[in-house]
Structures are given as C-alpha cells and as structure tokens.
Amino acid sequence: MALFSVIFILLLHVVLLISLTNEALGVSHSYHLSQEVLAQQEADRVHGLPGQPPVKFNQYAGYITVNETHGRALFYWFFESTDKPKEKPLLLWLNGGPGCSSIGYGEAEELGPFFPQNSSQPKLKLNPYSWNKAVNLLFLESPVGVGFSYTNTSNDISELGDTVTARDSYTFIIKWLSRFPQFRSQEFYIAGESYAGHYVPQLSELIFDNNHNPAKEDYINFKGFMIGNAQMDDETDQKGMIDYAWDHGVISDGLYHDIKTKCNFSLANQTKDCSNELNKYFKVYNVIDMYSLYTPLCLSNSSTSNRREAPVIEGVSPHSFSKFDGWHKKPAGYDPCASDYTYVYLNMPEVQKALHANVTNIPYPWTHCSNNISFWSDAPQSMLPVIRKLIAGGIRIWIYSGDTDGRIPVTATRYTLRKLGLSIVQDWTTWYTSQQVGGWTVVYDGLTYVTIRGAGHQVPTFAPKQALQLLQHFLANKTLPPQPIQ
C-alpha cells in the first residue's frame, strides 16, 4: 500500500510538471502537449539574443525539413503575441524578391519586434509598433537558398519557381503546426509584400484547395491574406511603373513618350528599341531610391546599401523588366543604412547560435537577397485568376500600397485592381491615423484596397503606426476610420 502511495504521488508530480510547462509555453489548460512536442519546442526556444532588450513574450527559431529525400529545410523565427497569445491569430509574413529574406527585411527592418542597431557591439532596438502586438507572428525564409534556409541537393536551386515555393511553404505550415499544435485552432492569416504578390495568393490557393474537410488533421483555420505593393500582373505592373515615374517627375516627357510608343507591356518580350528606352528609364534609379522616392540614400563609405543590386534572376516575372539590372535593386529602409546593421548582426556567430541558425555551416554569408538563385523556372504573368478564385471562395483579401514606392507603385496596383473588374461598394474614401490622413481606401465586392500616405515599398518601415493600424482593422474586417480620431 505504501508503494502505491509513493507511485501515486510521483504521477501527480509528473502531471503538475507537464501542466506548468504547458502554461509557460502559452498552451491552453485544456490542451496538453506530448513530451515529444514539448521537447521539440524547447529545442527551438530562443532564450535571449545578443544585445536584446528584455521582453515578456516567448520566441522560437529553427528549421522545418520540407523534403526529407532532398534535405530541404526552411528556417523560421516565431514570436508569440505580447498579450494573450492563446487568443490571438497566427500570421505568416513573407517577403518577396524572389530570393529575399523575410527575416532580414520583415523582422529586422519592418514589422518584427527587434531591429539591429549601428553599434560596435551586438545591439537590438525594440520596435514599438511590432505586429506581434496584434498576432502571433511567424517569419519564414523561403524558398531554400534564401537566408539560412538550405538544401542538400544542389539541383534544387536551379529548379526553383512559384510552384515549388508554394508547395514547400505549405509543407512547412503543416509541419510547423505539428510542432506547435497549440496554435492549430487559431485563425490563420498570411501577409507579405512585393513578389509575395505571387507567393501569398499561390500559398493561399494551396491551403484553400486542401481545406475541404475541417475535421481532418491537416486542416488550417485559414481566413485571409493581405499584400503590400504587390507584384500581381505583369502588364499593369510595368505600365504603372512608367506612368508613375512620369507623373512624379522622375523621367522626361520625351522618354515617357518613347517608352509608350516603342513598348508593349502585354508581351513577354520587348523589341530592341523598347529595351534601349527602358535602359534610360532604369538609369534614373542609380541616383535615387526606386523603393522610396523621397528618402535619402545611405552614404556611408562602408555601406553595402550603396550597392543595392540584387542578383539578376532569369525567368522571373515580369519577363520584360526582369532582364534589366535596375529591376533587381534591393530596397533600403527609412534609415537608409538599416540593411547594413542587419547584415552585420545576422552574420555574428553568437547570434546564429542563439537563433539555432546555420547549423550546417552554409559556405556563404547570410544576405538579404540570395546570390545563389539565378534562375526561376516558373512565374505566371498574372495572379488575377487565383485572386478571383479566392474571392469567390470567401477568403478575406486586402491589398495595400505605400504611395511613394516606384517599384510596384500605387498607379500599377490601381490598374491591376481595375483589371479584376470588381464592382465598387465604397469608392475612394479618406482614412485617418489620429487626426492626420493615413491614406485612402476603396472597398470592392470581395476585396479592400488601402493606400498609405508617404510610405515607400516597405510600408511598415516608413509608416509603422499606420501599418499596425491597418493590420488590426484587417484582422477585425473593419473599415479604417473615415473621420479624425480624437
């Protein structure tokens, strides 16, 4: 009898320990995790980063293998919400490129909790407008070859394209939710910018198509997506770039006339005469920032931001513009040298160790945009058929534009949305942040469009308060305030 009492007491201690561990991980009292899952989560837990200010939320980072045979593994960095993570949605953020890092841009310079600083020692600044104030925030470096994500099969890099990227990202989400099942029932959203105008709709379509049975184990509680300055349609994106440049005093009347006369952006390949004029157009962006017309360039002598050329990737959409070096510039942030600080910080061995990153000793430094990706095997010229399908399926869709971006400008996105042919429920309406105009909005039948006044390509970098406000209204599916907020 005494032995039975001892065993009973020991079992009570084990149950209590598991319950306390689940509570520390933000798990519902009614949802207990297996010891295997707890061990996996604990292995990915980030206990603190070099130079990090103290925080009360949990963070995790590590790898999810998306193809065992090829050894393809995607790197993620996850932040629980600052408040009530068990009640908040889960949001996946994707940057574009293709080939650019969601951690380097999204987390470290746009909407994540931590921004690297210019310092001789590792130093992070807490972002007061981090999106994990509203959601559980998940950043993914995708596809393989980007940032810390890798493959053990070198041929995988030459076969990259939209389809492979979407499938691997879908596999990542399924496996990530198996590692963090306490978030499985919470609402799931996707957001991103730039070439994520391809990534986000395609991943959304995969989830939508595989979500037939809500009772099945791999069901994702997917509700909607939001994309900023999104590359969605080759013809309108390219036409809009040229019109925006002329209208904002970037190119001359003569050059504008010659491009409009000699180029046909409904075609994938342009004539030599058109290419000559486009070379003159892109030359303008050697001296100003295409991604933010009115902010300064980084003038530091040691700056990598001065050399913002990303690798030229053949085959990527839009097929006409992608042949030009000027199309492949990297964006610069509001602090035009911010990317320099990120580059230095993420290449520090102690930082990589704290993040459980670079575990295979990748033979190249971490970079914002991958130097290894030089070919993109498939890139549809338009995402509009996918967007129409998802609108019909009841998926919440918001598109937004920073209106000082010259890369995928507000003009291009307005042309693209017009091409969708949706009826307008509420036309061009002012919205406010506090007592200032934040931008304008159009509510279509099945889609909401928002402009953010004075923001460049990376909207949360240039307008962080407005971007967080935009996210909160998107999640609530509420129109932005049409009157000043007292």
Side-chain angles (χ1 to χ4, degrees):
M1 188 71 178
L3 178 61
F4 176 80
S5 297
V6 170
I7 293 172
F8 180 73
I9 291 169
L10 286 173
L11 286 172
L12 280 177
H13 277 86
V14 169
V15 171
L16 179 61
L17 179 62
I18 292 173
S19 177
L20 289 172
T21 305
N22 283 335
E23 183 66 24
L25 290 168
V27 183
S28 168
H29 290 292
S30 62
Y31 198 121
H32 294 298
L33 303 180
S34 70
Q35 290 299 302
E36 181 183 2
V37 166
L38 286 171
Q40 289 176 334
Q41 292 186 17
E42 192 59 33
D44 284 1
R45 184 192 289 269
V46 177
H47 293 280
L49 292 161
Q52 177 198 304
V55 294
K56 293 182 180 179
F57 55 82
N58 293 322
Q59 56 175 316
Y60 302 83
Y63 287 93
I64 298 286
T65 300
V66 294
N67 187 301
E68 299 282 352
T69 304
H70 286 217
R72 290 206 301 271
L74 298 180
F75 182 78
Y76 79 90
W77 194 356
F78 171 63
F79 302 91
E80 287 188 356
S81 175
T82 58
D83 181 51
K84 299 179 181 178
K86 290 178 282 187
E87 301 174 13
K88 297 293 177 64
L90 172 65
L91 182 138
L92 173 69
W93 174 267
L94 299 171
N95 279 87
C100 294
S101 167
S102 301
I103 286 170
Y105 288 119
E107 194 294 312
E109 297 168 26
E110 296 189 68
L111 56 112
F114 303 128
F115 290 176
Q117 298 297 289
N118 185 20
S119 174
S120 58
Q121 300 296 323
K123 185 179 180 182
L124 293 173
K125 175 185 176 182
L126 197 60
N127 173 16
Y129 298 104
S130 174
W131 283 16
N132 77 322
K133 291 181 179 293
V135 293
N136 297 290
L137 186 55
L138 177 60
F139 295 96
L140 174 64
E141 290 195 306
S142 174
V144 292
V146 173
F148 295 122
S149 296
Y150 67 88
T151 177
N152 293 328
T153 306
S154 57
N155 287 344
D156 283 349
I157 302 298
S158 62
E159 295 173 0
L160 289 175
D162 286 11
T163 303
V164 170
T165 301
R167 287 175 181 168
D168 279 0
S169 295
Y170 178 76
T171 301
F172 166 85
I173 295 166
I174 296 297
K175 290 194 170 187
W176 190 91
L177 287 171
S178 294
R179 187 173 299 183
F180 292 89
Q182 65 266 38
F183 295 100
R184 182 180 297 282
S185 63
Q186 285 161 244
E187 291 186 348
F188 178 70
Y189 297 90
I190 312 173
E193 69 191 14
S194 196
Y195 199 78
H198 281 228
Y199 290 163
V200 172
Q202 289 167 329
L203 176 56
S204 298
E205 183 182 29
L206 264 183
I207 296 171
F208 180 80
D209 288 346
N210 284 285
N211 258 1
H212 296 305
N213 182 5
K216 76 172 187 176
E217 183 180 350
D218 289 344
Y219 181 83
I220 297 169
N221 190 17
F222 179 54
K223 298 298 183 183
F225 66 80
M226 183 168 65
I227 336 169
N229 294 84
Q231 189 174 323
M232 295 182 288
D233 184 84
D234 281 10
E235 179 184 12
T236 51
D237 288 344
Q238 294 170 127
K239 178 179 183 290
M241 279 185 72
I242 302 303
D243 287 354
Y244 182 89
W246 175 80
D247 195 46
H248 285 72
V250 173
I251 59 174
S252 70
D253 291 358
L255 179 56
Y256 177 70
H257 175 268
D258 289 343
I259 292 174
K260 299 290 280 187
T261 303
K262 298 176 182 178
C263 299
N264 181 352
F265 294 127
S266 64
L267 303 177
N269 297 300
Q270 300 299 324
T271 64
K272 185 176 180 180
D273 285 345
C274 171
S275 296
N276 290 337
E277 301 307 320
L278 291 177
N279 275 322
K280 297 174 188 176
Y281 161 77
F282 280 113
K283 190 176 180 181
V284 174
Y285 291 112
N286 290 334
V287 293
I288 62 171
D289 189 353
M290 178 191 291
Y291 292 82
S292 177
L293 295 191
Y294 306 117
T295 50
L297 299 176
C298 180
L299 300 178
S300 167
N301 290 332
S302 61
S303 173
T304 58
S305 294
N306 281 328
R307 302 180 295 278
R308 290 193 306 280
E309 301 298 329
V312 175
I313 304 176
E314 295 182 16
V316 76
S317 179
H319 300 287
S320 293
F321 276 18
S322 65
K323 298 177 176 64
F324 296 89
D325 290 348
W327 174 257
H328 298 273
K329 291 179 181 292
K330 298 180 186 178
Y334 182 69
D335 177 344
C337 302
S339 292
D340 293 356
Y341 317 150
T342 303
Y343 177 85
V344 170
Y345 187 83
L346 289 177
N347 277 295
M348 291 179 174
E350 62 268 37
V351 171
Q352 295 181 2
K353 182 178 180 181
L355 286 173
H356 319 119
N358 198 14
V359 293
T360 57
N361 295 315
I362 299 168
Y364 47 82
W366 179 94
T367 57
H368 282 79
C369 297
S370 175
N371 293 314
N372 302 308
I373 297 173
S374 59
F375 183 78
W376 202 254
S377 62
D378 86 283
Q381 289 183 274
S382 181
M383 286 293 101
L384 297 187
V386 176
I387 292 172
R388 288 191 186 97
K389 172 183 174 180
L390 295 173
I391 289 172
I395 299 299
R396 186 184 313 161
I397 301 173
W398 283 32
I399 309 294
Y400 64 91
S401 293
D403 64 11
T404 66
D405 174 33
R407 174 64 182 268
I408 307 292
V410 61
T411 309
T413 302
R414 292 173 78 178
Y415 287 158
T416 299
L417 296 180
R418 185 187 302 171
K419 198 172 180 179
L420 266 176
L422 303 173
S423 60
I424 294 175
V425 176
Q426 178 182 299
D427 210 348
W428 203 249
T429 303
T430 311
W431 67 272
Y432 285 82
T433 296
S434 298
Q435 297 187 52
Q436 298 292 331
V437 174
W440 285 265
T441 182
V442 181
V443 179
Y444 294 93
D445 183 15
L447 182 149
T448 295
Y449 178 55
V450 180
T451 72
I452 296 87
R453 189 166 66 100
H457 190 70
Q458 301 159 282
V459 167
T461 299
F462 299 99
K465 183 178 180 181
Q466 294 92 320
L468 182 57
Q469 181 184 3
L470 172 69
L471 171 67
Q472 291 165 335
H473 281 74
F474 163 72
L475 294 171
N477 201 24
K478 290 174 56 178
T479 56
L480 287 150
Q483 302 293 334
I485 304 169
Q486 300 300 325

